[in-house]
Amino acid sequence: MRLSIGVTDFSWPEDLTGELAAVAVAAEDAGLDTLWVADHLLQADPNSTPDSAMLEAYTTLGFLAARTHRIGLGTMVSAVTFRPPALLIKAVTTLDVLSGGRARFGVGTGHHDGEARAMGLPFPPVAERFERLEETLRLALRMWAGDESPFEGTHHRLDRPVGNPRPVRRPRVLIGGAGERKTLRLVARYADACNVFDVPDGGRTVRHKLAVLARHCEEAGRPYGEIEKTISTRLAPGESAASFAGRCVEFPEWGIGHAVVITAGPWSPAAVGTLGEAGVLLAR
């Protein structure tokens, strides 16, 4: 079972820059797989408030790339409506180049219409957002492969999508969401990883979602085993490593091999250390 950290709350009261860097270094030292940051312009964590501190995601990841050496870096997840697709792909590629091949491309349709209204961001109907997501995925894979031929989609037209420099290694694509008709179909066709939620029902929902994904993979002619299955879960305030590890031991039985962990409020190095201890227990 691999463990990653999701940073969603940046409201450290005194030294945001120093605390964020310390958390990233602690995550790397603890052997965690990836550090994910939320991609919002307004704070969207339900345990926080919209006026709390929120950093732009790719600038933040660039800052963290300079302070770490091994840990993966990505967004959980970028809405395709926030940036034109070529700009989004270029940001991920730049992160990969400057971090030595550590970028992860977490992407989705977006869901926060209140944030869009507040910040003047486009928020088209859901059907169009899915169309834009698929076009962005197609374009990313083409640009990373060095294909500069014109791109003609329903919503995006690029005369010459140049992807230079190319990534150190093609960023792994994670599609956020578990919608059965559209999202998981896109996972089967384009993604390296999916992300489901830790619903407290003994794994029934997760097993069902993964069974749907398996059917989409069969229809797409793609091996189901190629796709990494991740789950978003929480470390409760004050929870011990043993308690958290005890909850995670069920995940492989559900078909999950990677947990992305968030917590209430901003992370501390001590809480990150708890995750590292849990990882050691899970590896035994």
Side-chain angles (χ1 to χ4, degrees):
M1 171 61 63
R2 298 194 304 180
L3 298 178
S4 291
I5 180 176
V7 177
T8 60
D9 191 326
F10 296 88
S11 58
W12 290 280
E14 295 181 0
D15 182 11
L16 187 159
T17 302
E19 293 285 359
L20 175 60
V23 164
V25 171
E28 181 158 275
D29 290 346
L32 302 187
D33 184 86
T34 301
L35 190 156
W36 303 90
V37 300
D39 190 4
H40 288 283
L41 300 187
L42 295 180
Q43 179 55 252
D45 190 307
N47 291 292
S48 186
T49 63
D51 293 335
S52 293
M54 193 67 211
L55 299 178
E56 192 280 323
Y58 288 97
T59 310
T60 301
L61 291 171
F63 168 82
L64 296 176
R67 284 153 179 82
T68 54
H69 304 282
R70 177 203 56 80
I71 195 167
L73 300 164
T75 56
M76 185 69 79
V77 294
S78 291
V80 290
T81 53
F82 275 23
R83 305 167 185 85
L87 176 60
L88 175 58
I89 296 161
K90 192 68 171 180
V92 176
T93 304
T94 299
L95 175 64
D96 193 76
V97 170
L98 298 182
S99 69
R102 293 187 282 143
R104 311 288 185 262
F105 185 33
V107 66
T109 59
H111 65 92
H112 202 321
D113 57 340
E115 177 182 39
R117 290 194 304 271
M119 302 299 282
L121 300 170
F123 195 78
V126 64
E128 180 179 330
R129 300 203 308 275
F130 272 104
E131 293 170 351
R132 290 179 179 272
L133 173 58
E134 183 162 15
E135 289 184 15
T136 299
L137 292 164
R138 288 170 46 209
L139 182 61
L141 296 178
R142 282 181 49 170
M143 290 178 67
W144 290 334
D147 184 351
E148 299 179 5
S149 60
F151 180 88
E152 187 80 17
T154 302
H155 304 285
H156 305 294
R157 295 170 179 79
L158 290 81
D159 289 343
R160 185 167 171 256
V162 177
N164 188 26
R166 301 265 293 279
V168 174
R169 59 178 60 89
R170 182 180 71 74
R172 290 180 60 79
V173 176
L174 179 148
I175 298 177
E180 298 178 18
R181 255 186 344 110
K182 294 185 177 181
T183 304
L184 293 178
R185 179 185 64 81
L186 292 177
V187 171
R189 293 189 63 185
Y190 300 104
D192 302 294
C194 67
N195 183 254
V196 296
F197 293 104
D198 184 9
V199 180
D201 62 1
R204 181 178 59 82
T205 297
V206 171
R207 291 177 190 270
H208 171 72
K209 297 293 185 181
L210 295 185
V212 172
L213 174 60
R215 291 197 295 271
H216 284 305
C217 286
E218 184 177 4
E219 292 168 1
R222 181 170 182 200
Y224 172 71
E226 285 186 356
I227 298 172
E228 182 180 21
K229 293 82 178 177
T230 77
I231 190 167
S232 289
T233 190
R234 284 183 178 271
L235 177 72
E239 186 173 12
S240 70
S243 172
F244 181 77
R247 291 196 286 113
C248 289
V249 294
E250 293 184 321
F251 293 159
E253 299 174 6
W254 304 349
I256 299 292
H258 188 166
V260 179
V261 188
I262 62 175
T263 193
W267 279 98
S268 68
V272 174
T274 298
L275 282 191
E277 294 171 19
V280 172
L281 294 174
L282 289 166
R284 290 177 179 172

